[in-house]
Amino acid sequence: PTMGDRRVNEINSSDVLRALSPIWLTKPETARRVRQRIGTVLDWAKAAGFREGDNPVEGVTKGLPKQPDRGQHFAAMPYKDIPTFVHKLRGTSASQFAKLALEFLILTATRTNEVIEARWAEIDVKQKIWTIPAERMKAGRDHRGPLSDRCLAILRSARSLSPDSDLVFSGRSINKSLSNMALLMLLRRMNLDVTVHGFRSAFRDWAAECTNFPREVCEMALAHTIKSKAEAAYRRGDR
């Protein structure tokens, strides 16, 4: 918005700085994406002959404070507390679809976008498998996950709420998905200082401490990529 009234050839580092400063610390990931996209637009403008000189995005971070360490963990609920949490979740007055989607996410150890964009065509009820297509996976490959009896019960409830939708968890209209903030806001309304992504961490802790499954199986359940290219080349199955 701060650059909206300026011509592309007039934009300078101070303009970029003013655009980024309000969100640089409060929304660091968004701010980094905004910086990258401003840079891309201005690179194109120079290549197309609309401006000259260096890209004003270069070096702009020198005028901004240091962001929090990106290596910090997502706030996660201890896995031992999750059964009590789910019981409370079912009793809230929140949207039925949001409640069902969040419980489904916890049970499948998946990510928000993978759940809110889930479609019935991906669900094989007979085989009890949910296959998420590669284009919706962070790793860029299909991910098959088993569906527990409770997952199947959640799916039946979701189908009864919106029998004609292609989406498993509909939003405000039949063919519109839930907002990607819907599940986080549900947690906030329950006065919980945890993240949705943190339930994946809780799953990993539970798998390590309460089961005897090999580490590689636990990592594959989370659809984590194999860092070793040699190992990845030889692994064909998804267990």
Side-chain angles (χ1 to χ4, degrees):
T2 60
M3 295 186 289
D5 59 349
R6 296 178 66 82
R7 295 180 181 275
V8 71
N9 63 331
E10 298 175 344
I11 294 172
N12 55 41
S13 295
S14 62
D15 295 315
V16 179
L17 193 63
R18 283 197 298 274
L20 295 176
S21 292
I23 59 172
W24 188 249
L25 293 179
T26 57
K27 299 178 181 178
E29 181 62 29
T30 298
R32 289 191 292 270
R33 292 178 182 177
V34 170
R35 179 188 61 185
Q36 184 271 330
R37 288 166 188 173
I38 292 173
T40 299
V41 169
L42 295 180
D43 279 341
W44 175 87
K46 181 178 179 179
F50 291 107
R51 62 175 289 117
E52 298 178 350
D54 296 334
N55 191 321
V57 172
E58 297 176 5
V60 75
T61 52
K62 293 179 181 178
L64 294 164
K66 179 176 171 49
Q67 288 185 328
D69 181 12
R70 276 191 279 180
Q72 61 189 8
H73 297 293
F74 291 96
M77 181 181 295
Y79 66 84
K80 293 180 181 179
D81 295 342
I82 291 180
T84 299
F85 161 73
V86 170
H87 180 73
K88 291 180 179 178
L89 171 67
R90 294 173 184 171
T92 67
S93 59
S95 155
Q96 281 294 109
F97 274 124
K99 292 193 292 185
L100 291 171
L102 183 54
E103 186 177 352
F104 191 77
L105 176 145
I106 293 169
L107 291 170
T108 55
T110 46
R111 301 177 177 89
T112 296
N113 285 339
E114 294 160 8
V115 170
I116 65 174
E117 294 291 339
R119 283 166 165 72
W120 288 109
E122 302 166 2
I123 307 293
D124 186 333
V125 175
K126 291 184 178 180
Q127 296 297 321
K128 299 184 179 181
I129 290 176
W130 173 27
T131 303
I132 310 173
E135 59 267 23
R136 292 205 297 105
M137 292 298 299
K138 185 177 180 181
R141 62 171 181 267
D142 290 354
H143 177 69
R144 297 197 314 151
L147 296 171
S148 65
D149 289 343
R150 176 56 189 163
C151 283
L152 295 174
I154 290 172
L155 292 174
R156 288 193 293 271
S157 296
R159 179 59 100 181
S160 67
L161 290 171
S162 187
D164 300 319
S165 176
D166 292 332
L167 291 162
V168 176
F169 304 106
S170 298
R172 293 184 177 180
S173 61
I174 189 172
N175 286 314
K176 185 175 182 180
S177 64
L178 290 165
S179 161
N180 61 2
M181 291 295 291
L183 306 189
L184 178 60
M185 294 310 298
L186 175 52
L187 293 174
R188 292 292 175 267
R189 285 193 290 272
M190 293 178 71
N191 296 316
L192 293 169
D193 189 22
V194 297
T195 65
V196 178
H197 199 87
F199 287 110
R200 284 167 55 83
S201 297
F203 166 84
R204 190 64 184 86
D205 290 342
W206 167 81
E209 297 180 20
C210 299
T211 79
N212 293 318
F213 290 110
R215 177 184 179 278
E216 63 178 23
V217 173
C218 300
E219 291 297 300
M220 291 179 79
L222 290 167
H224 282 165
T225 56
I226 304 170
K227 293 183 179 180
S228 168
K229 292 183 179 180
E231 182 183 357
Y234 283 98
R235 183 179 294 171
R236 292 288 183 266
D238 63 3
R239 298 182 184 271

